[in-house]
Amino acid sequence: MPELDLLWLGLFLGVAAMALAYASGEALMRGDAVNAWYALHVVMMVLYQGVQLGYADGLDAGHDAGMREAVRLMAGALLAAVSLLFARRLLPRALGDRRADRWAVVVAAVGVALTAGYLAWPELAREPTVVLAQRAYYLLALSSVIFLLWALRGVRLPYIGWYAAAFLSVAAGLALAAAAERGWLPAQGGWERYGMLAGAGLEILILTYALNFSARDLSRGPGERRHGARLDRWTGLLHGGELPGLLMSLSVRSLRMNTAGAVVMLRLANLEDLQRAHGSEVTEAVMKACARVLREACSPGDLPLRLDDARFVVVLEQVQSRSEAHALAQRILELGLRHHPELPPLERLHWHAAVACIPQDLKGKPQTLIERLDQAVAQIRRGSGALIRSL
């Protein structure tokens, strides 16, 4: 049924062309490394589908059966390797288990080695054991993607559900094609020829949707992030519950766009002294004074949050170096030593600070980074000569 072949292939190529145009534009205009890998993934998927449907038979010399089979296996091995490297970049290794990341690199290298082997010795493609090894490699690549997803368990990565659905779609297409090849499905249904094509097309549609909206989230400015976010009722700063989501967005943006951000954790060291001297009712006034200091010290692009009575955080979405975050922390410490109208006479705010840069200091999930900053700032002693620590 050549007309049906052309219809299916036309639909698939239309979806792939749309995705390739989008991914290439994002990679060139925004420097988005994830979309650069996605564009390569789409190209390899198109080549693989063309080979599977027989449209590449005329490219091999003399229509040799061994060469045709080698081309088919090369396309499959290279697609699996590229797709695995794309998934590795899509699912940030710094947020999960680095063992999954290293394993993905090794498995992708095996795919490249298989491709080189078929290119050098096309006759290998006719060996039954080599064909079985190729199928085992497909399962290995699929299990590696599952390992990457499992490594991110507990991490609220934006759109991770969509990414998982996309990988499941292409896996289902592969399963349909394999079942039809073994005779488990009716031969008249066209499952062997169109199952993988449908699964791959659905995968591309889902990934393009998810990557598009993910990029829009990452490119939002500070003002847009404040819109609709929870605010602290005493200070008007962002609520501390917004911090994990902000850190997640900052982490993904840093790893995806090759930018750098920073986090400044602040602890009010003399809060208990103020409460003992003036009673617990002074706490609200102290929080308002803290908010005044942070608003005065921060630029419009910074995001200050209140975690609790003693701890505050400032998220800097883009910095050129660690010294920028240190300068902000120093400015907050100096402003705190001035008297503020919310405070009782002669009272000051004594801050301690810890600074982290992203992605350099991101050694696991965002919650881990918060805990490390908390520990660093808690180790600073009153009267110490170094009131700002860096991870």
Side-chain angles (χ1 to χ4, degrees), residues 60-84:
D60 51 285
H63 299 276
D64 178 74
M67 178 60 76
R68 284 198 296 272
E69 185 65 17
V71 169
R72 188 174 73 86
L73 294 183
M74 277 191 289
L78 200 55
L79 170 63
V82 168
S83 299
L84 186 52

Side-chain angles (χ1 to χ4, degrees), residues 184-220:
W184 297 344
L185 293 173
Q188 296 80 9
W191 299 105
E192 184 177 356
R193 297 178 66 81
Y194 311 128
M196 177 74 181
L197 202 63
L202 185 58
E203 181 220 33
I204 291 174
L205 277 175
I206 295 173
L207 282 176
T208 304
Y209 170 87
L211 287 171
N212 175 48
F213 282 93
S214 176
R216 287 175 57 181
D217 287 347
L218 294 176
S219 61
R220 287 192 305 164

Side-chain angles (χ1 to χ4, degrees), residues 352-373:
H352 295 165
V355 174
C357 284
I358 294 177
Q360 297 96 313
D361 296 324
L362 189 64
K363 307 296 183 183
K365 301 172 185 177
Q367 186 60 40
T368 304
L369 179 63
I370 297 173
E371 293 170 359
R372 292 176 64 214
L373 283 167

Side-chain angles (χ1 to χ4, degrees), residues 134-157:
Q134 178 86 356
R135 290 175 178 171
Y137 177 68
Y138 290 154
L139 289 175
L140 186 62
L142 180 60
S143 64
S144 299
V145 174
I146 294 172
F147 190 13
L148 286 168
L149 288 166
W150 179 82
L152 287 170
R153 65 196 184 283
V155 177
R156 294 190 301 172
L157 182 67

Side-chain angles (χ1 to χ4, degrees), residues 2-23:
E3 295 84 1
L4 192 56
D5 280 3
L6 290 174
L7 176 61
W8 276 96
L9 188 61
L11 288 172
F12 172 75
L13 289 177
V15 171
M18 173 199 68
L20 187 58
Y22 163 76

Side-chain angles (χ1 to χ4, degrees), residues 215-331:
R216 287 175 57 181
D217 287 347
L218 294 176
S219 61
R220 287 192 305 164
E224 294 176 285
R225 296 188 190 281
R226 292 188 184 97
H227 181 69
R230 287 179 294 168
L231 299 179
D232 178 65
R233 62 185 182 87
W234 276 1
T235 62
L237 304 177
L238 289 177
H239 190 277
E242 300 289 324
L243 181 59
L246 286 176
L247 287 183
M248 176 62 70
S249 296
L250 181 60
S251 304
V252 174
R253 180 179 180 178
S254 298
L255 293 163
R256 183 166 167 176
M257 303 293 190
N258 294 316
T259 59
V263 182
V264 179
M265 172 79 75
L266 298 150
R267 186 171 68 88
L268 189 59
N270 66 329
L271 177 61
E272 292 182 0
D273 295 341
L274 291 169
Q275 290 173 335
R276 279 195 295 267
H278 305 284
S280 59
E281 59 273 10
V282 79
T283 303
E284 184 174 353
V286 171
M287 295 303 102
K288 291 179 179 178
C290 291
R292 174 192 290 273
V293 169
L294 293 180
R295 289 195 180 95
E296 188 173 342
C298 293
S299 67
D302 301 332
L303 296 167
L305 304 92
R306 173 179 174 252
L307 299 185
D308 53 35
D309 289 350
R311 295 180 305 151
F312 294 78
V313 169
V314 179
V315 176
L316 294 84
E317 292 201 311
Q318 193 160 352
V319 295
Q320 298 301 318
S321 66
R322 191 180 296 265
S323 60
E324 288 186 37
H326 272 270
L328 173 64
Q330 185 62 44
R331 189 158 64 249

